[in-house]
Amino acid sequence: MENLLPYLLWIWLGVALTAIIVEICTTTLVSVWFAVGALAAMVASALGAPFAAQIAVFLALSILVLALARPLTRRFLACLLYTSDAADDK
């Protein structure tokens, strides 16, 4: 594991970019939460946090963003679907 420590910043960036690309391809709000967590873990890595702390930051922030943002996005998307269905009925 010690061999990976200098590269963890780039690994977290790769995880974030992968999650963003998956999100762009699926457009179902599946992986955006992990992109936010990976970017936070990347910051923790840049600040010199140990790997276990980086994993904890990644998991905690991913779960927090998921718990807080998912209900809002579902409500917003439901509103968009409702208005588009109403427009189609005219």
Side-chain angles (χ1 to χ4, degrees), residues 67-85:
L68 294 177
R70 185 151 172 87
L72 296 174
T73 56
R74 289 187 67 175
R75 197 173 319 139
F76 177 73
L77 291 176
C79 180
L80 284 179
L81 287 174
Y82 178 73
T83 56
S84 79
D85 287 344

Side-chain angles (χ1 to χ4, degrees), residues 8-72:
L8 282 175
L9 182 76
W10 298 106
I11 292 171
W12 286 119
L13 181 61
V15 170
L17 289 175
T18 302
I20 290 168
I21 290 169
V22 167
E23 187 62 43
I24 289 170
C25 292
T26 61
T27 66
T28 56
L29 295 175
V30 172
S31 62
V32 70
W33 332 111
F34 302 115
V36 173
L39 290 174
M42 186 177 76
V43 170
S45 174
L47 294 175
F51 182 65
Q54 294 173 35
I55 293 291
V57 166
F58 171 74
L59 290 175
L61 203 58
S62 295
I63 291 169
L64 180 68
V65 171
L66 174 64
L68 294 177
R70 185 151 172 87
L72 296 174

